[in-house]
Amino acid sequence: SVKRAEKRLRAIIDTQFVNDEVENPSITTLSDETVDELETFAKSHQVDIDIERDPVLHFIKLHGCQGDVLQVKDKIRDAMAAIGEEKTKKEAAVAVFKHIHWIRELSDGETEDYDEVFSFEIEQAYQQKKTQYVSRDSVEKFTIDFKSMQETDLISGDIITVKRVDFTEEEKPVNWDKMPVDPNSKEVPVHLVTIQSSSPEYKDVESKFNVTMTGRYSQILSIQRLQNPMLYWQYIARKKEMNKRNPSGHKNELWLWHGTDSDVLNNINTQGFNRSFQGKNGVVYGKGVYFARDASCSDGYAHRDSSGQKHMYCTWVLTGEY
């Protein structure tokens, strides 16, 4: 009976305890701090963890109770996502830097560019109409007041003048309306233009929509063109880079649809598509931003607002090779 009990116990252990492995190139870039956090988290859940950051053999092996292993894997996925977001931020910073420079005017008459990441963060704050930018860097601690266009060093107290240089005035799409300005004569960062139903632009979008939506809706209330210069320049810069990397003649972009809730429209219009805005819509196949070839598919994710209206984006998306 003891042997039967041992055998039964081993069978239970074999079904409850699992070995799992995570492979991802981003594992090689995990910091020591992140590795410590993952090891501590795994230990608290009684999961054995082996992290190998070798450039060739990069993996994370797990062993433990199935439910605990799944929790540790979720923690690992969050760490991988954070690395991906940091990479995306750096790529966006490079894209913006090709068009927008923020510059310090030094006391000796010389000028000095903020680096790519600082320029990107400063430009984001500027476009979002914040009154100031506050550096979160652990070394360079300063603020920029956008009204006076002055930087204040938070350590020395020194104040210098800054300026914004825009190299892109001629690069906006020809079909865009002129961007309005605010009471301070500063160009607004986002402009929504309601397109006339008689225009070719309206009819083109309507036609694409009706390919899969005919008979599935009562009426189109409006079609608006979203004009956001910063997001447009980022897109064009990334498209140029993708065209260089992928084979000549490869179609790197597709016209796709995205249905969403009304409460995230402003976030998308000002900051672009971001997985943090997607809520329950962005977790069906993992955290992310989802686009569809057919408007009818995206229609399922466009939930009605308090007025019973739905909202959907039709946009070019850089898909590359997939």
Side-chain angles (χ1 to χ4, degrees):
S1 61
V2 173
K3 287 184 177 180
R4 274 200 303 269
E6 288 179 349
K7 193 173 182 179
R8 192 176 300 120
L9 183 60
R10 286 197 187 97
I12 293 172
I13 292 173
D14 287 342
T15 58
Q16 293 297 317
F17 281 76
V18 297
N19 293 306
D20 209 338
E21 185 171 330
V22 177
E23 292 187 14
N24 190 309
S26 296
I27 292 173
T28 62
T29 62
L30 287 174
S31 66
D32 292 341
E33 181 182 0
T34 301
V35 168
D36 288 342
E37 289 178 1
L38 291 176
E39 290 177 342
T40 300
F41 186 81
K43 185 177 180 180
S44 70
H45 287 71
Q46 297 182 320
V47 173
D48 294 330
I49 184 169
D50 178 19
I51 301 176
E52 178 56 67
R53 290 181 286 175
D54 184 84
V56 179
L57 300 173
H58 38 265
F59 59 79
I60 300 177
K61 292 183 177 180
L62 304 171
H63 175 74
C65 185
Q66 188 173 26
D68 293 324
V69 167
L70 288 174
Q71 289 189 59
V72 175
K73 282 189 73 174
D74 283 342
K75 187 76 171 178
I76 293 169
R77 289 194 187 98
D78 287 342
M80 297 296 102
I83 292 173
E85 287 172 356
E86 183 63 26
K87 182 181 178 182
T88 299
K89 178 181 176 180
K90 289 181 179 178
E91 290 174 348
V94 171
V96 170
F97 198 72
K98 292 178 180 179
H99 305 286
I100 304 290
H101 283 212
W102 282 85
I103 297 171
R104 291 182 173 109
E105 295 186 340
L106 307 179
S107 57
D108 59 3
E110 296 293 318
T111 60
E112 174 186 78
D113 279 15
Y114 290 91
D115 68 25
E116 293 171 347
V117 174
F118 272 136
S119 271
F120 176 66
E121 291 180 350
I122 296 167
E123 181 65 17
Q124 277 194 314
Y126 179 82
Q127 292 288 356
Q128 292 166 13
K129 293 189 174 183
K130 294 184 178 179
T131 57
Q132 65 174 356
Y133 164 77
V134 181
S135 168
R136 293 169 291 181
D137 190 77
S138 59
V139 178
E140 292 193 59
K141 299 180 182 297
F142 63 90
T143 63
I144 294 177
D145 182 278
F146 292 124
K147 186 175 182 179
S148 63
M149 292 297 275
Q150 290 183 322
E151 176 202 293
T152 301
D153 189 306
L154 297 178
I155 298 174
S156 67
D158 292 342
I159 297 175
I160 57 175
T161 299
V162 302
K163 65 179 180 180
R164 177 180 183 269
V165 180
D166 185 348
F167 301 105
T168 55
E169 288 305 318
E170 302 302 320
E171 297 190 24
K172 293 171 186 171
V174 294
N175 66 318
W176 276 21
D177 287 21
K178 183 176 177 60
M179 296 294 290
V181 295
D182 61 21
N184 296 318
S185 299
K186 187 168 76 172
E187 188 178 277
V188 298
V190 178
H191 183 38
L192 284 170
V193 179
T194 299
I195 303 171
Q196 296 296 318
S197 59
S198 59
S199 72
E201 185 177 6
Y202 183 102
K203 293 185 179 300
D204 180 49
V205 177
E206 180 185 39
S207 174
K208 289 181 171 69
F209 184 74
N210 281 331
V211 169
T212 59
M213 286 296 292
T214 296
R216 300 178 62 138
Y217 68 98
S218 56
Q219 67 175 130
I220 296 175
L221 297 178
S222 70
I223 296 177
Q224 295 178 304
R225 183 195 316 120
L226 172 61
Q227 299 183 181
N228 184 322
M230 189 172 76
L231 293 180
Y232 174 76
W233 298 324
Q234 288 181 31
Y235 181 88
I236 293 301
R238 291 184 183 183
K239 179 181 175 181
K240 289 179 180 177
E241 291 300 317
M242 191 175 287
N243 287 342
K244 290 178 184 177
R245 290 197 304 267
N246 288 341
S248 177
H250 180 80
K251 188 175 182 180
N252 291 314
E253 62 179 350
L254 294 174
W255 179 270
L256 301 177
W257 300 89
H258 178 84
T260 191
D261 295 337
S262 61
D263 58 354
V264 298
L265 295 177
N266 185 62
N267 287 333
I268 293 175
N269 292 348
T270 56
Q271 301 175 51
F273 296 103
N274 186 306
R275 73 190 188 103
S276 65
F277 304 150
Q278 303 314 304
K280 58 182 179 295
N281 285 356
V283 295
V284 178
Y285 302 104
K287 295 178 180 177
V289 181
Y290 292 81
F291 297 92
R293 179 195 61 188
D294 299 334
S296 58
C297 180
S298 292
D299 179 55
Y301 298 93
H303 302 134
R304 296 187 186 278
D305 61 19
S306 58
S307 302
Q309 299 176 7
K310 289 187 173 186
H311 306 268
M312 195 182 300
Y313 288 87
C314 46
T315 180
W316 285 107
V317 179
L318 293 175
T319 53
E321 296 186 83
Y322 67 97

